[in-house]
Structure formats: structure tokens, C-alpha cells
Amino acid sequence: MERAHQLRAGTSALNWMFSIVHSTWLNDLKQRDQRSQLQAEWSDTLSETVADPGSASEAGALAQQIIAAVERLPEAQRVVLLLVSVEGFGYQEAADALQIPVGTVMSRLSRARRTIGALFDDDCKTAR
């Protein structure tokens, strides 16, 4: 609310707030990933106390890949994916928040999931 003065006339307050929440969420994910990497480095120095020292760095790498895949999505698909999959909005709630038809939400979500699935499918095939 400290930046309410930045809300422009004609801009939906809900969309403006969602942009702030979205940016905050992405920043939080990046900070968690950085903390996880630092923890993994610290754990590597004490490997005798860690059952599988590689698992933390693998989880951090996977989280980074997921974030990168979501960031590559077109904005419309990314917003719908985050609302439904991360924030737990129902299709109708997401449609109402974005002021679009529920069918559009379903379509964008489907395309976003297919795109991310294809990215990870390609990664798995090249890793073999």
C-alpha cells in the first residue's frame, strides 16, 4: 500500500495488486533457491552428517529449471498458471480476477502446462 500513488488512472486495482503479488512471489522463490544453494554448500563441508549431499543441490537445480520454464511462458499463460496452480484459485475465480471468460482461463492453463511439460520432456530425452 506504500506505493498506492503509483496506481495509474484507468488501471484495474486488482491487476495492479496481482502484479505486485506476482513479483513478490517470484522474488521469494529466487531467495529460497539462493538460501537452498547456500545450505547445500554448507552441508557439503559436513558431508558425514548428510545422507545424500547431492540431493539439496539437485532440488535447487530443479526449482531453478521450473522458475525458468514459468518465466519463459507468455505473460497471459504465466499469470493464469500462477493463479490456479500456485495461488489455488479455481477456474472461475481466476477468470473473475482477470476479467476474462472461464474458457480462456482453461485454454491458457492447458497451453502453459503443455509448454512446460514439453520443456521437461525435452530435458529428460537429452539427459538419456
Side-chain angles (χ1 to χ4, degrees):
M1 296 312 300
E2 67 190 30
R3 297 186 183 205
H5 66 280
Q6 292 178 343
L7 178 61
R8 294 190 177 132
T11 302
S12 166
L14 183 62
N15 290 345
W16 177 72
M17 288 294 288
F18 179 75
S19 295
I20 292 170
V21 171
H22 178 253
S23 296
T24 302
W25 176 77
L26 287 176
N27 289 339
D28 185 52
L29 281 179
K30 290 175 186 175
Q31 287 174 352
R32 279 190 228 168
D33 184 49
Q34 290 170 349
R35 283 192 299 261
S36 139
Q37 287 176 356
L38 288 174
Q39 183 179 6
E41 290 170 11
W42 181 78
S43 294
D44 285 342
T45 62
L46 302 172
S47 61
E48 66 274 1
T49 63
V50 178
D52 183 8
S55 66
S57 61
E58 288 172 13
L62 179 61
Q64 191 61 34
Q65 287 176 333
I66 292 169
I67 292 169
V70 170
E71 287 176 342
R72 280 187 257 168
L73 291 172
E75 181 71 16
Q77 291 177 19
R78 183 173 51 241
V79 168
V80 169
L81 179 72
L82 294 173
L83 280 176
V84 174
S85 299
V86 176
E87 297 298 326
F89 279 41
Y91 292 172
Q92 188 60 54
E93 290 174 308
D96 292 342
L98 298 172
Q99 299 174 346
I100 59 176
V102 72
T104 303
V105 167
M106 294 167 66
S107 174
R108 289 178 183 175
L109 184 60
S110 174
R111 281 183 279 150
R113 287 176 174 164
R114 264 187 275 141
T115 300
I116 290 176
L119 288 172
F120 282 93
D121 248 2
D122 290 344
D123 287 347
C124 288
K125 288 176 184 172
T126 57
R128 290 182 198 169

